């Protein structure tokens, strides 16, 4: 009997020592949380992620998204000067104490919003882009609808308490993903730990302390009010994979940081972006009546997939190629497909295409080829 108990304990210990890390449940103190991978948008973990809460200053992720879109479209420049209005300087809360009619560059205002969550700068930027804060908020809500943020209504561009100003962790992750995926230049500002404005006269220290102590931290935005409690959208990148962790309504500031740290640790421990290549050389495709006899297909794009680390050996590929194609062949013309499978299930497909043009033979060229073939046969 004792031997059986000892054997059972030994097997149990062996299982615990060899069990993959992802088997351990994620435990966060925040009531609402989500973990998303940036490139694919895949949700790796969620906990009541569609429950609505006030987002506080995490609202400014959408504000920054619209600012970055305006910059990328050319309607706004980094060196454009923005004038602070009476309304902008009246915000209160986190601010850099703009004076009425004070001018500051878009670059410095974006820095103030990302690093110290400056409400006065957020409103000044909104007014500069849309003419008024309400007009800018209309754009925020329109953009939210375009991103499929079904549980979100913005009332202002700052996140200051306002009736009906609500969102959820899932929606925050979606707008955070859009910001960091489509506008990587924002990282220049979201990764600042300490800096200054006004020629060194005004000190800035990032409200997101993960930037200081979490390996690979890239942003993104903190938030707090008495009713929203502590919120955070945190991004971090390691080994080419960037993750987005969002928590809402955490009871303390430390809880929000520790909750996001736990989520990010879970993601980096158990998932990886894995590059995929064909398992065999891609054979050439015969070209009928072409100036070249064959064309060598190439993959249309690189392929990387998000994968649980314990499934790295379960990736296979299947190649499907046209046996032949008739000239002319255009650059980029599809010649086949490379299917990517994990445990036998297809997760992606990459077109195999012609890298260059293959012209069709002229009548004279066809005749010459016929003669060449005839002479070779006779020889």
């Amino acid at each position: 009997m004792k031997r059986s108990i000892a054997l059972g304990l030994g097997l149990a210990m062996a299982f615990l020592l060899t069990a993959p890390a992802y088997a351990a449940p994620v435990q966060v103190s925040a009531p609402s949380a989500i973990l998303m991978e940036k490139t694919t948008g895949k949700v790796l973990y969620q906990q009541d992620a569609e429950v609505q809460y006030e987002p506080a200053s995490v609202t400014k992720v959408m504000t920054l998204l619209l600012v970055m879109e305006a910059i990328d479209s050319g309607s706004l420049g980094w060196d454009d000067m923005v004038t602070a209005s009476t309304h902008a300087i009246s915000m209160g809360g986190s601010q850099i104490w703009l004076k009425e009619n004070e001018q500051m560059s878009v670059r410095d205002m974006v820095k103030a919003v990302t690093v110290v969550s400056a409400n006065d700068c957020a409103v000044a930027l909104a007014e500069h882009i849309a003419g008024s804060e309400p007009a800018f908020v209309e754009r925020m809500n329109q953009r939210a609808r375009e991103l499929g943020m079904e549980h979100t209504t913005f009332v202002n561009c700052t996140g200051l308490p306002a009736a009906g100003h609500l969102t959820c962790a899932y929606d925050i992750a979606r707008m955070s993903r859009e910001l960091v995926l489509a506008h990587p230049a924002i990282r220049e500002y979201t990764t600042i730990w300490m800096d200054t404005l006004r020629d060194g006269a005004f000190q800035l220290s990032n409200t997101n302390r993960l930037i200081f102590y979490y390996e690979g931290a890239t942003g993104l935005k903190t938030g707090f009010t008495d009713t929203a409690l502590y919120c955070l959208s945190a991004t971090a990148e390691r080994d080419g994979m960037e993750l987005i962790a969002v928590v809402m309504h955490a009871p303390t500031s430390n809880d929000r940081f520790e909750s996001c740290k736990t989520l990010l640790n879970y993601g980096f421990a158990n998932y990886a972006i894995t590059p995929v290549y064909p398992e065999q050389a891609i054979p050439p495709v015969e070209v009928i009546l072409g100036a070249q006899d064959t064309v060598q297909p190439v993959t249309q794009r690189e392929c990387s997939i998000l994968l649980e680390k314990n499934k790295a050996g379960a990736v296979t590929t299947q190649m499907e190629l046209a046996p032949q194609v008739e000239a002319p062949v255009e650059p980029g013309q599809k010649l086949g497909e490379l299917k990517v499978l994990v445990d036998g299930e297809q997760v992606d497909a990459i077109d195999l295409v012609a890298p260059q043009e293959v012209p069709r033979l002229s009548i004279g060229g066809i005749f010459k080829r016929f003669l060449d073939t005839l002479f070779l046969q006779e020889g």
Side-chain angles (χ1 to χ4, degrees):
M1 180 68 177
K2 289 182 180 178
R3 185 182 176 189
S4 297
I5 293 174
L7 180 60
L9 288 172
L11 289 172
M13 287 300 294
F15 172 78
L16 289 173
L17 290 172
T18 58
Y22 71 87
V26 178
Q27 294 183 341
V28 296
S29 57
S32 178
I34 194 167
L35 179 67
M36 179 182 288
E37 193 277 321
K38 179 190 74 174
T39 303
T40 62
K42 182 176 179 180
V43 174
L44 308 182
Y45 174 84
Q46 59 180 318
Q47 172 180 301
D48 292 331
E50 295 187 348
V51 177
Q52 287 183 310
Y53 291 100
E54 295 177 47
S57 282
V58 179
T59 297
K60 296 186 181 85
V61 171
M62 180 59 81
T63 302
L64 289 166
L65 175 59
L66 294 188
V67 170
M68 295 302 294
E69 289 179 342
I71 291 171
D72 287 353
S73 73
S75 63
L76 184 67
W78 284 110
D79 296 320
D80 290 355
M81 299 305 290
V82 179
T83 303
S85 69
T86 304
H87 176 59
I89 68 171
S90 71
M91 287 299 102
S94 301
Q95 56 187 310
I96 63 164
W97 310 102
L98 288 171
K99 294 180 173 59
E100 187 172 0
N101 295 323
E102 180 179 356
Q103 290 192 320
M104 189 171 285
S105 69
V106 169
R107 186 183 311 278
D108 282 349
M109 285 202 171
V110 167
K111 184 190 297 185
V113 172
T114 55
V115 179
V116 296
S117 197
N119 293 319
D120 45 5
C121 289
V123 173
L125 285 165
E127 291 176 333
H128 187 81
I129 290 171
S132 69
E133 185 183 9
F136 187 84
V137 172
E138 286 184 19
R139 297 189 188 185
M140 293 171 69
N141 285 310
Q142 174 61 34
R143 196 70 181 93
R145 288 190 290 271
E146 292 170 358
L147 292 173
M149 297 166 58
E150 298 178 354
H151 300 86
T152 297
T153 301
F154 294 116
V155 177
N156 57 52
C157 69
T158 60
L160 288 167
H165 189 91
L166 297 168
T167 186
C168 66
Y170 179 57
D171 285 0
I172 289 173
R174 296 186 86 160
M175 67 178 179
S176 298
R177 175 178 181 251
E178 183 67 17
L179 177 59
V180 297
L181 182 63
H183 309 282
I186 196 66
R187 185 184 289 193
E188 177 183 343
Y189 301 91
T190 59
T191 53
I192 293 172
W193 174 237
M194 299 189 76
D195 208 329
T196 62
L197 291 173
R198 300 186 177 109
D199 297 322
F202 193 90
Q203 301 292 318
L204 302 175
S205 180
N206 204 319
T207 56
N208 178 10
R209 69 184 194 217
L210 291 181
I211 295 299
F212 179 69
Y213 74 80
Y214 190 80
E215 179 189 351
T218 56
L220 188 60
K221 193 70 200 71
T222 59
F224 167 77
T225 66
D226 289 340
T227 48
L229 299 184
Y230 294 89
C231 308
L232 177 61
S233 177
T235 56
E237 182 175 10
R238 294 180 188 173
D239 299 323
M241 179 174 72
E242 190 164 14
L243 300 178
I244 302 159
V246 178
V247 298
M248 300 192 74
H249 213 64
T252 70
S253 179
N254 187 63
D255 282 330
R256 68 177 165 185
F257 291 120
E258 288 302 307
S259 291
C260 278
K261 179 181 172 182
T262 297
L263 291 169
L264 293 169
N265 284 345
Y266 167 79
F268 288 127
N270 297 294
Y271 291 87
I273 297 291
T274 303
V276 178
Y277 307 99
E279 295 175 13
Q280 60 191 44
I282 305 174
V285 172
E286 179 186 358
V287 180
I288 300 173
L289 299 178
Q292 300 170 206
D293 293 334
T294 62
V295 60
Q296 178 59 57
V298 296
T299 52
Q300 185 183 45
R301 58 177 171 84
E302 293 183 355
C303 178
S304 295
I305 59 173
L306 178 67
L307 202 63
E308 290 181 41
K309 288 183 176 179
N310 69 314
K311 289 188 176 180
V315 180
T316 57
T317 60
Q318 290 181 356
M319 193 184 306
E320 295 180 356
L321 273 178
Q324 57 188 23
V325 62
E326 186 173 337
V329 176
E330 300 296 328
Q333 181 175 327
K334 183 175 179 179
L335 304 172
E337 192 173 67
L338 182 71
K339 295 181 179 179
V340 182
L341 303 95
V342 177
D343 285 332
E345 292 188 11
Q346 184 175 326
V347 296
D348 200 358
I350 305 99
D351 285 349
L352 299 173
V353 300
Q356 73 276 323
E357 178 186 12
V358 180
R360 188 179 180 89
L361 282 173
S362 63
I363 297 297
I366 294 172
F367 184 66
K368 182 178 182 300
R369 180 170 292 182
F370 170 74
L371 291 177
D372 289 343
T373 304
L374 182 64
F375 288 137
L376 282 173
Q377 288 175 349
E378 290 180 352

